[in-house]
Amino acid sequence: MSRPLPTESALLRGPVGDIEVLIDAPATVGGIALVCHPHPLYGGANTNKIAHTLARAFRDLGYAVIRPNFRGVGKSSGEHDHGEGETEDMLSVISWAQSRWGSLPLALGGFSFGGFVQARVAARLAADIAPPRQLVLVGMATGAAADGARHYQTPALPATLPAVLIHGENDDTVPLANVLDWARPQERPVTVVPGADHFFHGKLHVIRDLIARTVPRTDA
């Protein structure tokens, strides 16, 4: 396998100003992946370790991976918009990526609040001429957070979209029951990682290995 390119940073133009992104690309790009980080008001950023793990896993499968900072994080303009503006921003990032690499297969990955945003993005793109081909959601935010401070009305996923849903058995931020309640009417399997908390301390390798085993390579 060829050595991947060094991580690149860039400022893209979004609906309300700059969107700061990190880009991880293999030597030969066969797909585009967008990876979203956890809640920006609770320390979430594109350097989050799970977002980083998702990015490297997708890169190793042949995807050029874009990790944006949500509004108000790092050099990204604007203020937190509870998923509304963030969805619009992510759609603009996808458009930019397609202008750079072309209409390659698109994958979406997200952790926690980032997973909630990606579910919204997937719903928006379902009827697009080139809808996403793969989704990976880790510790996804849906229903009421354990502290009662937030509630997420997460849309159902497009029925034909392959999705890998990974959740920690001991998640104390988004209870496992929330994700099971959301997945049940969709008949979506959820992979439960025994002993894992919301941030998958000591379990990042499980996420990486699951993606390597279940997400097809872009050259497959």
Side-chain angles (χ1 to χ4, degrees):
M1 181 185 299
S2 300
R3 292 176 61 88
L5 303 177
T7 298
E8 177 186 349
S9 60
L11 288 178
L12 311 182
R13 294 299 296 173
V16 298
D18 290 337
I19 302 175
E20 183 181 23
V21 302
L22 294 173
I23 302 167
D24 296 284
T28 301
V29 175
I32 296 167
L34 175 70
V35 170
C36 290
H37 67 71
H39 206 299
L41 300 186
Y42 295 83
N46 61 5
T47 53
N48 168 268
K49 64 182 183 179
I50 294 179
H52 180 269
T53 298
L54 288 170
R56 293 302 170 88
F58 275 120
R59 183 202 65 190
D60 290 348
L61 293 171
Y63 290 88
V65 187
I66 305 95
R67 276 184 284 159
N69 267 334
F70 285 136
R71 296 183 179 190
V73 179
K75 297 178 181 178
S76 290
S77 303
E79 299 179 351
H80 177 63
D81 196 31
H82 308 284
E84 296 286 343
E86 289 81 0
T87 300
E88 301 303 323
D89 291 349
M90 296 308 99
L91 292 170
S92 71
V93 171
I94 291 169
S95 294
W96 172 85
Q98 291 171 334
S99 72
R100 175 167 174 174
W101 288 289
S103 298
L104 296 174
L106 173 66
L108 307 175
F111 168 48
S112 196
F113 174 78
F116 165 70
V117 171
Q118 292 287 43
R120 291 172 53 89
V121 170
R124 287 283 295 274
L125 292 178
D128 194 75
I129 190 171
R133 298 193 189 178
Q134 183 67 56
L135 184 63
V136 178
L137 302 176
V138 179
M140 191 189 61
T142 184
D147 61 5
R150 304 172 303 289
H151 189 280
Y152 299 95
Q153 297 286 349
T154 309
L157 302 179
T160 58
L161 175 59
V164 179
L165 310 177
I166 305 170
H167 213 79
E169 176 190 20
N170 300 328
D171 193 319
D172 56 0
T173 299
V174 180
L176 174 59
N178 289 18
V179 177
L180 294 177
D181 288 345
W182 173 79
R184 190 175 298 111
Q186 304 179 65
E187 299 185 331
R188 292 277 185 177
V190 178
T191 299
V192 179
V193 179
D197 60 11
H198 186 62
F199 295 98
F200 287 79
H201 293 301
K203 305 290 186 181
L204 293 178
H205 64 285
V206 179
I207 296 174
R208 184 179 63 246
D209 293 346
L210 274 169
I211 294 172
R213 292 200 307 268
T214 57
V215 176
R217 290 188 55 84
T218 59
D219 56 4

